[in-house]
Amino acid sequence: MKLFISLSLASLLAPLAALSQSTDGLQSTSCVTSSGSSTDLYKTKSEIKYAKLFSIEYHNDYKVVNNLSTKDKYILYQCGSDKPSVNDASAFIPIPVSKAATWATTAAIFLEALGVQNDIQNLGTAPSVVSSCLQKLLEDVIEPFNEGNSTHTDEQEQSNTVVFNMPGGQDDDTSNTVYSVEYLENSALGRSEWVKFFAAFFNAEERANKLFEAIASNYECFSTKANDEYNDIRPVVAWTSYAAPTEYNNNTAYWQISFADYKYDLIRDAGARMLNTTGSQSTMFSSSQAFLDALEEADILIDESFVSYSYKDLLKNYGIDDKTGTTYSWLESDRVYRPDRLQSTAGGLDWFEAPVAFADALLQDLISVAHPNFSKEGYSSIWFRNLAKNETVTTVTAAS
């Protein structure tokens, strides 16, 4: 049986682009003329089901958005009203936001998914952005942060109502900084549900709720079909990486197997199994042989190294001189992948952007790796490429 539902990145983002020219799905788009409204301005609310690291509390004319990881409390109050009296606030942000900046490209993808990408004024690590629409906006709408001039950067940040950043990120101490930690969630759907976090700043709860409902529905459908169809055929998947000797690791190479929680969920929901059930988030090896010994039971290898861009590179970095003399299933069956198929011209990986926001497309991609006959005929993986079969990367530009 093949599942005749097929998602592509274009099909995910195309309907959202039209939202940038519309107020559909937005609430309380105008400023109020007084404080202490007795009317509920936010009739559409977001309820959090999967994400564990943020919460939203609604009041008549303001919201309290809590980052439960950093313990930050953001007070979002309707423009035109006074700042509410709330203790221990990390920042007061008037909403709906019309001028936003983000240092992280992942946040920019969430804003694009909400159809508010035209409200982005400044963007950090701009060359890494893979989204063709954001690249297009960088040509004439979005100004990249001037990372070489701190004075200019400060001016850029202060010209925005909110600056989205990661804890410990570049220049993260401004009064309008808001931290997001979607990457720390322990499930793929939990990561994607952060669209509701960002939506609160734009009064775009209706858009976020509808988008996430569709993502969660697709995800459940894919997972149910994959596990029903392949319950007795569960290949073992290993997420691996190699770090070359540098000054940052005492000039000592090491090899790693990742056991991040969200990957456990993804592998299980894709009808496959993780390499083992160790309780740690990763296992590090100081010798390639010990690393390879740990991969004996793996059927599929997904390499996340920053340096293995070809199959030849990977074999060399993993200490494999002669493939014919090995008995590793993942080598013999040519099931060696990297999640780097979509890249910007500068080498930025979409792996750190769209898959975080679109858990359903990510799951379908992973199922296509674990069970190649699952998806509709002609389905082409969005993010994973087979190194062993010399599949090439796809470079995304503003003209794509």
Side-chain angles (χ1 to χ4, degrees):
M1 179 187 74
K2 294 179 181 176
L3 182 62
F4 287 89
I5 299 176
S6 187
L7 302 177
S8 69
L9 200 56
S11 68
L12 292 169
L13 293 176
L16 305 175
L19 290 177
S20 64
Q21 308 300 323
S22 169
T23 58
D24 291 348
L26 302 178
Q27 60 182 339
S28 296
T29 57
S30 301
C31 295
V32 297
T33 57
S34 62
S35 300
S37 173
S38 59
T39 302
D40 186 357
L41 300 179
Y42 314 116
K43 290 182 171 57
T44 301
K45 298 171 175 58
S46 288
E47 296 182 0
I48 314 306
K49 182 178 180 180
Y50 298 93
K52 306 299 183 184
L53 299 180
F54 80 93
S55 65
I56 306 175
E57 305 164 18
Y58 288 91
H59 301 266
N60 281 352
D61 58 358
Y62 71 95
K63 312 169 191 177
V64 180
V65 178
N66 298 290
N67 185 319
L68 304 178
S69 175
T70 64
K71 310 302 181 186
D72 283 297
K73 181 189 294 184
Y74 305 112
I75 311 304
L76 317 184
Y77 63 99
Q78 191 67 21
C79 59
S81 65
D82 296 330
K83 294 180 182 178
S85 298
V86 179
N87 295 326
D88 303 322
S90 302
F92 288 89
I93 308 293
I95 57 174
V97 167
S98 60
K99 292 185 178 181
T102 173
W103 282 99
T105 56
T106 305
I109 290 297
F110 278 110
L111 300 191
E112 181 181 4
L114 289 168
V116 296
Q117 65 270 25
N118 288 342
D119 293 331
I120 303 175
Q121 306 298 305
N122 302 106
L123 182 61
T125 60
S128 298
V129 173
V130 180
S131 163
S132 59
C133 292
L134 290 177
Q135 288 189 47
K136 184 66 176 176
L137 288 174
L138 279 163
E139 293 179 349
D140 49 24
V141 175
I142 300 175
E143 180 184 26
F145 274 122
N146 188 345
E147 299 179 40
N149 186 324
S150 60
T151 300
H152 188 202
T153 295
D154 290 343
E155 293 173 349
Q156 290 175 310
E157 289 182 319
Q158 293 305 322
S159 69
N160 288 280
T161 306
V162 62
V163 178
F164 295 109
N165 208 335
M166 298 182 296
Q170 187 167 351
D171 204 18
D172 65 348
D173 59 352
T174 60
S175 61
N176 55 350
T177 292
V178 169
Y179 295 129
S180 67
V181 291
E182 62 283 340
Y183 55 92
L184 294 179
E185 290 287 348
N186 62 9
S187 70
L189 284 174
R191 299 195 311 169
S192 293
E193 196 168 21
W194 274 72
V195 69
K196 298 176 182 177
F197 174 92
F198 293 100
F201 292 81
F202 299 87
N203 289 346
E205 279 88 348
E206 182 180 335
R207 293 183 180 182
N209 293 346
K210 288 181 177 179
L211 174 60
F212 184 73
E213 182 181 356
I215 290 172
S217 177
N218 286 337
Y219 189 100
E220 182 180 357
C221 179
F222 289 140
S223 177
T224 299
K225 292 294 185 182
N227 282 275
D228 285 349
E229 181 74 7
Y230 302 107
N231 186 51
D232 298 325
I233 312 172
R234 292 180 175 271
V236 178
V237 180
W239 301 79
T240 61
S241 61
Y242 163 76
T246 70
E247 60 181 301
Y248 302 107
N249 59 14
N250 295 319
N251 291 311
T252 303
Y254 64 87
W255 296 258
Q256 205 162 12
I257 301 175
S258 172
F259 298 99
D261 288 339
Y262 85 91
K263 292 175 181 175
Y264 268 114
D265 278 3
L266 276 170
I267 294 298
R268 178 200 62 214
D269 294 340
R273 291 185 293 136
M274 284 285 274
L275 177 62
N276 60 44
T277 55
T278 180
S280 62
Q281 288 288 299
S282 64
T283 300
M284 190 178 297
F285 302 85
S286 58
S287 77
S288 61
Q289 189 56 56
F291 169 68
L292 291 172
D293 289 344
L295 297 176
E296 283 281 1
E297 296 183 4
D299 299 306
I300 300 169
L301 188 143
I302 300 176
D303 174 72
E304 298 181 284
S305 307
F306 286 104
V307 292
S308 300
Y309 292 111
S310 71
Y311 194 39
K312 181 179 179 181
D313 290 335
L314 181 139
L315 295 177
K316 178 182 177 181
N317 292 333
Y318 283 19
I320 300 174
D321 297 323
D322 182 9
K323 174 186 172 183
T324 59
T326 66
T327 57
Y328 304 111
S329 173
W330 47 275
L331 271 181
E332 293 180 333
S333 60
D334 290 334
R335 303 186 78 178
V336 181
Y337 298 84
R338 277 179 59 81
D340 64 352
R341 181 185 290 272
L342 282 188
Q343 300 186 17
S344 69
T345 303
L349 302 186
D350 196 56
W351 177 246
F352 301 112
E353 299 176 12
V356 180
F358 297 101
D360 52 347
L362 171 57
L363 179 60
Q364 178 176 298
D365 234 31
L366 189 56
I367 295 174
S368 75
V369 168
H371 306 289
N373 294 325
F374 176 79
S375 296
K376 185 177 179 180
E377 289 185 16
Y379 174 80
S380 178
S381 172
I382 303 174
W383 295 288
F384 296 104
R385 67 181 177 106
N386 191 317
L387 283 183
K389 295 183 178 179
N390 296 314
E391 291 181 350
T392 58
V393 303
T394 299
T395 301
V396 179
T397 68
S400 297

